[in-house]
Amino acid sequence: MSDTKTALVVSAHSADFVWRAGGAIALHAAQGWKVHIVCLSFGERGESAKLWRQSGMTMDKVKTDRRREAEEAAGILGASVEFLDIGDYPMRADLDVVFHLAKVYRELRPSFVLSHSLKDPYNFDHPLATHVAQEARVVAQAHGHDPEVPVIGAPPVFLFEPHQPEQCEWKPELFLDISSVWEKKQAAFETMRAQEHLWEYYTRVGLQRGAQATRNSDFKIKYAEAYQRVFPHVTQGTLA
Amino acid sequence: MSDTKTALVVSAHSADFVWRAGGAIALHAAQGWKVHIVCLSFGERGESAKLWRQSGMTMDKVKTDRRREAEEAAGILGASVEFLDIGDYPMRADLDVVFHLAKVYRELRPSFVLSHSLKDPYNFDHPLATHVAQEARVVAQAHGHDPEVPVIGAPPVFLFEPHQPEQCEWKPELFLDISSVWEKKQAAFETMRAQEHLWEYYTRVGLQRGAQATRNSDFKIKYAEAYQRVFPHVTQGTLA
Amino acid sequence: MSDTKTALVVSAHSADFVWRAGGAIALHAAQGWKVHIVCLSFGERGESAKLWRQSGMTMDKVKTDRRREAEEAAGILGASVEFLDIGDYPMRADLDVVFHLAKVYRELRPSFVLSHSLKDPYNFDHPLATHVAQEARVVAQAHGHDPEVPVIGAPPVFLFEPHQPEQCEWKPELFLDISSVWEKKQAAFETMRAQEHLWEYYTRVGLQRGAQATRNSDFKIKYAEAYQRVFPHVTQGTLA
Amino acid sequence: MSDTKTALVVSAHSADFVWRAGGAIALHAAQGWKVHIVCLSFGERGESAKLWRQSGMTMDKVKTDRRREAEEAAGILGASVEFLDIGDYPMRADLDVVFHLAKVYRELRPSFVLSHSLKDPYNFDHPLATHVAQEARVVAQAHGHDPEVPVIGAPPVFLFEPHQPEQCEWKPELFLDISSVWEKKQAAFETMRAQEHLWEYYTRVGLQRGAQATRNSDFKIKYAEAYQRVFPHVTQGTLA
Amino acid sequence: MSDTKTALVVSAHSADFVWRAGGAIALHAAQGWKVHIVCLSFGERGESAKLWRQSGMTMDKVKTDRRREAEEAAGILGASVEFLDIGDYPMRADLDVVFHLAKVYRELRPSFVLSHSLKDPYNFDHPLATHVAQEARVVAQAHGHDPEVPVIGAPPVFLFEPHQPEQCEWKPELFLDISSVWEKKQAAFETMRAQEHLWEYYTRVGLQRGAQATRNSDFKIKYAEAYQRVFPHVTQGTLA
Amino acid sequence: MSDTKTALVVSAHSADFVWRAGGAIALHAAQGWKVHIVCLSFGERGESAKLWRQSGMTMDKVKTDRRREAEEAAGILGASVEFLDIGDYPMRADLDVVFHLAKVYRELRPSFVLSHSLKDPYNFDHPLATHVAQEARVVAQAHGHDPEVPVIGAPPVFLFEPHQPEQCEWKPELFLDISSVWEKKQAAFETMRAQEHLWEYYTRVGLQRGAQATRNSDFKIKYAEAYQRVFPHVTQGTLA
């Protein structure tokens, strides 16, 4: 265990981490954190419409393209990324996925974890990814799981913003000012050439959350990302 | 406006602030904060059973006793206290109360506000106190209210723990380690000689919330107080 | 205080207690309970459409008619009834209403209380009636309110079924078999000649709730009334 | 009663109707509907920050300015507007307000009603406006209220979008395509010179809701407004 | 793709579609729609009590009987029906079921989908059926799933009424007038000779929902079915 | 079927039944009930930290130790216990588990069932155990499941208290006075030598719930256990 602080991002598809948590990733990376992203799939079936419209497209080619984009985006944000390639639309995760993630938790020993909303009627892969990320966290806390490897503590879990927040029963409980790294987030999502229609959408999300962050504080914030908490926050300092 | 940081506590009855927020008050006071408590009533009708069992008791004498206890408790915690004496069981608050509290907000300029849960089927004075505290906060933000006095920003509001949390639809979202000031909190609530049966109850609350705070962090915490947030937290730093 | 067990029903309008709680009233009355009904209004403006369609109708005549019907219905069910005549559509309740109800609580010392659902977007008088009934209950528990009169304990409050349950966020948590007194309930609501269109509606409600009660037990129940609880049930016996 | 269809908008402050429902107003007006707006206040204290920053500003001047802006905006949208001038921050509504609105309901006989979200921790005037709008609707349905004037039916109530939807527990249940009248909405809100900072914010809201409307249908929609329903929709036609 | 409009019904057991959606099916069929019903099981274990009370009954015979009844009912309603025979009490659905349903979606291209409530503590097959129906809908939208077959758009999903609505956290958001086809619905459920006790129950449901539909509109409706929406409604027309 | 009343407890791990339901078990056993406990696992991986800290510990030895403790505890409480040994952290349950539990239901014919909360973000084995317990209950009600064995009725299900109630969205709806058997519960949990840190925690839970039970009744109760109901209560007697 080094002194470097670490964070873990569990993303259902290869681009989710960019739209939804790119700012948080870049912000922590810029401060010297090691941020590691696990993409459970490439989003090859459900989130690659533009690629599939090209003639002669194959599953392998879609995966290769999506992987390259995601690696490029992770690089821009300053994070490492791995792909479990478990398939999407619909996603299914067996025990191996849980155990692999538990291993990642114990090796990385993250100070916090980012994943999807608990519900999403537009995309059932998203809540599944969060469920697996949370189950693996609990397994990594269990002394009887791989007893020779030290257990982890209780890293907080933050749920990043889904595409249609109210329909996903997701609620912003924490605004993170990402203005200082906005250009990196923008550069990262512009690598997603297959999803160009989302660039403007997520730029507006950043601006709206920035305006709301301003209204909920005495700061002036241009761009923000919003997160929901899973667990209570614990503080030994002051309340504000 | 001095450099001293400030906090505001709005308490329906004269003892609520001790049981529910005594730790937070003492903790911030110990760090040099000015903490000001507004008690809307003395709890003279509804929370002074033991006094009323004494023969020859009068309303004035109950109020005097309750005031003395509350002032003593506030002193131990290191806070100032004032009493609006608007009556209890049932409490009613007219516009004067809202405007007085708005004035307090603008003078004190608190960094945060503490008050009751949003619902309480056992005690309707509690949600009323919170409602008034919140309405006054919004009035104090309005440029057209006493336009010559500077408006306030957006101090966060934390809801302290009600007596029966689940029945009040209240949920702990933040645990504050109060171990370092536990003795002050204990000394403060022991001034409440009319409510001796609650001493043990709230000692156990402190221990249970401490154990839960430990489980939700990598700290070892003996005593904690729990709070629910009203507004999203805004941060310009890291997530953890 | 005699040995007779007692119950209190707080009804916004003069007929509510019949449709929604007539079975419970008759059932307890039949077992020797004293059941007392407080009608906050006659429903003279909002629930007397048929009367107002008669030519030459006046407010006084409507009230007189509605009172007579309600007294007749209460008599059939075996309960006493009083009318506070505070107006309806919209209803407003000042402190006098709360204090009067608190006095009723202390005199009657009910073993349980029945009132309306906590929400009702079709009729704001209903949640107001429940709010007042609950506030008065808490006042009656306060040692400093009329200190010479003994306080009450903690009678459970049951919320009877609104006209459109799901829209009122009301949920049946307790089914009461009212088959043995169904004829009394039917006779009582047939006194409501101004609301004939509801006879069939509430007969079907009784049958549906009966069928559901059967499905949730090992009893065979023809007619039932459904109630939501406000407070947890406390038992010193067994769980079933 | 003419053949012209009508709609009622109840707005807490003088500008709310523009940001939140300007599209719906213009769309129906463009189709020949009479849309009538009731502003309960001018937003003179709480929503006129820019005016109050001018030296020598008085309450009267603020009201006059805000009224002029709102009238201009209503004119652009094609609606009539009236102001009840009951004050804001905090707003209080007595029975006169309810009865006046009930009169408006009976005269206008609206096919639908628009008002604020049921909760808003940033602005308690908003839920109060909706509560009053709903209470007045129920009073207007009561045969005993002004018995000589015909009662109204059951017009649906739609809640327009608050500034921070998730914090207000508001959920979009209906997207209305307002692309065809977007220019009118934009022109209307640009009359709000005191709130210039909101122009971009609400342009982005329109685009985000448009993108979401597209995702929830087989239409291509650029700008949309979102609404929550209070009552179930009733149809005699098909489901889609 | 022809001009005929289509609808899809996903029913956990062979009779669910009759009790819960028979009116909607008949109504659309009567207007020339092609309505297709997929029964995931015959309800052979859990919903055939009366058959199992006959001596010498076998699983095959129960299935045959239930299939015959359901086919007869579908015929009366004017719909086609297929049976996946995946078993019930408890139901389990593997990927084949999801893919088969996705194929049905793409072939049928329904304008809307009907299925069960999201929760049902009395019957876990019901929420499973809805989950599978929704997952398949998302798969059918994925360009990478069977890329040579055109994807579908975003048909709305309506959840029909469970047996005990409040316990299933189901809420009516849409009332459909089914008076014109009531006789067909009645004839259809009378084919369910094994569940005769439900005939009266669902007749009363139809009447209660009809009365409620009347109260929520300016129509006079005798029989209605109620539905909950999963997704927001999108309209390019007027609000009412 | 004998005259002895019976109850079933489904516990995810070998100690859950002691902390959460030990009082209810002992209370009913003391009144002559047969109470049977099914432990789905030994909690060998996730709830045996102290054992795993011993050198040379093996999975078999942990299971043996935990089984011995649980059997001893069950004996003290007066109940029988069996272990399904399906593994923990994470737990998975296949159809065999459901069918075995269904068999237990039909043999035991319990008057009520106890299991875990419906949600628990700290421990996903807990809600899984409840889900399986509920699915098996429904299977045991199905006439087509093992048709030669009589089906069961509708025993109520009570959810015992999780470690952090508010985070699990669990709400106490029923307080059971366990003062008379407190010493047995204490003796039982003191057999859990691997989890000594919980002894004080659960003693305080018992005292807090006792104090709350007192506040919600006219009884004086020292120790209580709290339960949430899954199904509505049905009564043929009185309401209180």
Side-chain angles (χ1 to χ4, degrees), chain A residues 122 163-167 170-172 175 201 204-205 207-209 211-212 215-216, chain D residues 122 163-167 170-172 175 201 204-205 207-209 211-212 215-216:
Chain A
Y122 299 96
H163 198 71
Q164 298 190 56
E166 300 95 345
Q167 258 58 43
W170 174 93
K171 189 177 171 177
F175 289 116
Y201 189 89
R204 290 191 301 260
V205 168
L207 289 164
Q208 298 300 84
R209 295 306 182 189
Q212 293 172 7
R215 258 176 83 100
N216 282 280
Chain D
Y122 300 96
H163 198 73
Q164 298 190 57
E166 300 96 344
Q167 258 58 42
W170 173 93
K171 189 177 171 178
F175 289 117
Y201 189 89
R204 290 192 300 261
V205 168
L207 288 164
Q208 297 302 83
R209 296 306 182 188
Q212 292 172 8
R215 256 176 86 99
N216 281 280

Side-chain angles (χ1 to χ4, degrees), chain B residues 122 161 163-167 169-173 175 200-201 204-205 207-209 211-212 215-216, chain F residues 122 161 163-167 169-172 175 200-201 204-205 207-209 211-212 215-216:
Chain B
Y122 299 96
E161 178 161 354
H163 198 73
Q164 298 191 57
E166 299 96 345
Q167 257 59 43
E169 300 177 25
W170 173 93
K171 188 177 170 177
E173 296 179 336
F175 288 116
E200 288 184 15
Y201 189 89
R204 290 191 300 260
V205 168
L207 288 165
Q208 297 301 85
R209 295 306 182 188
Q212 292 172 6
R215 257 176 85 101
N216 281 280
Chain F
Y122 299 96
E161 178 161 354
H163 198 71
Q164 299 190 56
E166 300 96 345
Q167 257 58 42
E169 301 177 25
W170 173 94
K171 188 176 171 179
F175 289 117
E200 287 183 17
Y201 189 89
R204 290 192 300 261
V205 168
L207 287 164
Q208 297 302 83
R209 295 306 183 189
Q212 293 173 7
R215 256 176 85 98
N216 282 280

Side-chain angles (χ1 to χ4, degrees), chain F residues 144-178:
Chain F
H145 173 76
D146 280 353
E148 67 285 0
V149 184
V151 301
I152 62 164
V157 179
F158 302 102
L159 309 178
F160 41 64
E161 178 161 354
H163 198 71
Q164 299 190 56
E166 300 96 345
Q167 257 58 42
C168 298
E169 301 177 25
W170 173 94
K171 188 176 171 179
E173 297 179 335
L174 191 150
F175 289 117
L176 179 69
D177 184 352
I178 59 163

Side-chain angles (χ1 to χ4, degrees), chain A residues 4-65:
Chain A
T4 307
K5 295 193 107 177
T6 61
L8 174 63
V9 184
V10 179
S11 179
H13 311 102
S14 65
D16 290 325
F17 73 88
V18 189
W19 311 112
R20 313 191 186 295
I25 294 168
L27 191 74
H28 289 81
Q31 296 177 50
W33 289 52
K34 170 172 175 48
V35 183
H36 183 63
I37 301 154
V38 179
C39 292
L40 300 182
S41 79
F42 299 102
E44 62 271 18
R45 289 160 45 96
E47 309 200 340
S48 307
K50 203 172 164 186
L51 291 173
W52 286 108
R53 288 202 198 91
Q54 299 172 18
S55 68
M57 188 50 61
T58 65
M59 192 59 81
D60 271 359
K61 196 163 157 12
V62 170
K63 287 186 181 179
T64 304
D65 268 38

Side-chain angles (χ1 to χ4, degrees), chain C residues 121 124, chain D residues 105 118 129-139 157 159 230-231:
Chain C
F124 296 98
Chain D
Y105 272 99
L118 299 176
T130 295
H131 185 74
V132 170
Q134 288 206 71
E135 255 199 332
R137 175 180 171 276
V138 175
V139 169
V157 179
L159 309 178
V230 173
F231 300 103

Side-chain angles (χ1 to χ4, degrees), chain B residues 27-135:
Chain B
L27 191 74
H28 289 81
Q31 296 176 50
W33 289 51
K34 170 171 175 49
V35 183
H36 183 64
I37 302 153
V38 179
C39 291
L40 300 182
S41 80
F42 299 101
E44 62 271 17
R45 289 160 45 95
E47 308 200 341
S48 307
K50 203 174 164 183
L51 290 173
W52 286 108
R53 288 203 197 91
Q54 298 173 18
S55 68
M57 187 51 61
T58 65
M59 191 60 81
D60 271 359
K61 194 161 158 18
V62 170
K63 287 186 181 180
T64 304
D65 267 37
R66 297 297 277 162
R67 172 196 286 266
R68 193 179 45 236
E69 281 176 4
E71 285 173 342
E72 194 181 338
I76 292 169
L77 299 172
S80 56
V81 61
E82 71 177 298
F83 302 89
L84 302 195
D85 193 13
I86 66 171
D88 71 331
Y89 282 67
M91 185 172 279
R92 292 292 183 269
D94 58 21
L95 276 181
D96 285 349
V97 177
V98 176
F99 290 139
H100 176 80
L101 283 171
K103 195 154 159 281
V104 172
Y105 271 98
R106 288 204 176 161
E107 287 170 4
L108 190 65
R109 311 191 72 74
S111 290
F112 66 83
V113 187
L114 306 182
S115 197
H116 294 266
S117 60
L118 299 176
K119 300 198 180 171
D120 190 337
Y122 299 96
N123 193 319
F124 296 98
D125 298 356
H126 290 169
L128 178 68
T130 294
H131 185 74
V132 170
Q134 287 207 72
E135 255 199 332

